[in-house]
Amino acid sequence: MNVLVLGKGRLGSEIVKQTGWDYLSRSEHEITIDNFDEWKNKMEDYDVILNCIAHTDTYSDDKEKHWKANYELVTYLAEYCDDNDKKLVHISTDYLYQNSIEDAKETDECEFDHSWYLMTKLLADEYLKEHAKNYLICRLSHKPYPFPYDSAWVDVVTNADYTPVIADLVIKLIENGAEGLYNVGTERKTIYELAQRTNKSVLKSISPPHVPKNVTMNISKMDNFLLNLHHDSKI
């Protein structure tokens, strides 16, 4: 399997660090939706394209930036991968579950407050589900390791984990051929509980009103997939 990582932000960088996979970066290689035809041939030697590119300014009202990075680029990548018999792996977000039922499954509807970030991320997911021939969507969230802030929220519950942990889970799904939509994370916890693992002096704090308090996901599909891999390796 020959994988190319698009984007070298926190998650993309960690995946490259753990795997040694090749990458293309917006800052280093000047790849954007506007010059897609100029760089798309750089993907031709790879079996799997891992898209870590996103405009992640969650509460920004800049519709164009969200639209181009979070939705339009994904449609271009999907068409390119379909036409060239490649698999597209796309990084989505657990924020899509912020107003959904607790412990949301991949099949549950997303009910979120309007924002261009969430709208474009959901549209990209739905586009892949409807049109892509061979894809993997990973809905997730990850935090910097070690926890770098003085305080952490006690009122936000999540399946997020540190970036190296989440990167490892994404890598395992890719390397073992997972397909479709997966919630990716670890056990439920508050941001404060996660922070304490690497920063014992972190203080408790309350999140701002606009921050969703519960973005928990049901991760049993991912757990069962990885458990079966472990079981098969023992046979």
Side-chain angles (χ1 to χ4, degrees):
M1 182 184 297
N2 202 2
V3 182
L4 177 67
V5 180
L6 300 183
K8 206 166 183 282
R10 188 184 300 152
L11 183 62
S13 295
E14 181 61 33
I15 290 174
V16 169
K17 177 182 175 182
Q18 291 189 25
T19 61
W21 290 340
D22 290 339
Y23 69 92
L24 290 176
S25 162
R26 283 186 288 183
S27 59
E28 292 181 42
H29 304 101
E30 299 181 352
I31 60 170
T32 69
I33 182 66
D34 296 319
N35 65 350
F36 185 82
D37 286 338
E38 297 175 16
W39 59 268
K40 66 181 181 181
N41 291 335
K42 294 182 179 180
M43 298 186 285
E44 64 183 10
D45 294 331
Y46 301 90
D47 308 306
V48 178
I49 307 301
L50 169 54
N51 179 38
C52 295
I53 293 174
H55 183 60
T56 56
D57 189 354
T58 312
Y59 301 105
S60 165
D61 289 329
D62 194 327
K63 174 186 175 181
E64 184 176 3
K65 286 184 177 179
H66 286 301
W67 185 262
K68 284 189 172 184
N70 298 340
Y71 175 71
E72 194 171 2
L73 177 61
V74 178
T75 66
Y76 278 46
L77 290 171
E79 182 177 357
Y80 173 84
C81 288
D82 283 354
D83 290 344
N84 293 276
D85 296 322
K86 301 180 188 299
K87 182 174 186 175
L88 178 59
V89 180
H90 176 63
I91 302 301
S92 186
T93 175
D94 64 353
Y95 259 43
L96 290 173
Y97 294 124
Q98 63 179 261
N99 288 333
S100 304
I101 63 172
E102 187 168 329
D103 199 35
K105 296 180 180 179
E106 291 87 350
T107 52
D108 291 327
E109 291 187 8
C110 298
E111 299 178 4
F112 52 81
D113 296 330
H114 172 77
S115 78
W116 287 115
Y117 172 71
L118 294 175
M119 182 68 71
T120 51
K121 294 297 284 186
L122 180 61
L123 285 173
D125 288 5
E126 293 302 315
Y127 183 91
L128 293 179
K129 289 160 62 177
E130 183 70 22
H131 299 286
K133 297 176 183 177
N134 189 3
Y135 70 91
L136 168 64
I137 301 169
C138 297
R139 285 182 177 163
L140 55 82
S141 182
H142 55 95
K143 305 302 178 185
Y145 175 90
F147 195 80
Y149 309 112
D150 294 332
S151 65
W153 298 329
V154 297
D155 60 336
V156 174
V157 186
T158 180
N159 296 97
D161 211 310
Y162 290 112
T163 305
V165 176
I166 298 300
D168 178 67
L169 292 172
V170 172
I171 292 165
K172 284 185 170 67
L173 291 173
I174 293 171
E175 290 183 332
N176 291 281
E179 297 180 355
L181 172 61
Y182 278 77
N183 294 334
V184 179
T186 55
E187 78 289 344
R188 287 167 48 110
K189 66 193 80 65
T190 65
I191 299 298
Y192 176 75
E193 289 170 335
L194 177 63
Q196 276 201 312
R197 297 178 185 177
T198 59
N199 184 352
K200 295 299 182 183
S201 63
V202 69
L203 302 174
K204 296 180 179 180
S205 62
I206 301 298
S207 63
H210 64 271
V211 173
K213 311 309 178 197
N214 190 330
V215 286
T216 57
M217 308 177 293
N218 186 308
I219 58 172
S220 60
K221 180 179 178 180
M222 179 201 71
D223 283 341
N224 290 334
F225 180 84
L226 298 178
L227 181 63
N228 288 336
L229 293 175
H230 180 73
H231 176 265
D232 291 343
S233 69
K234 296 290 187 180
I235 297 176

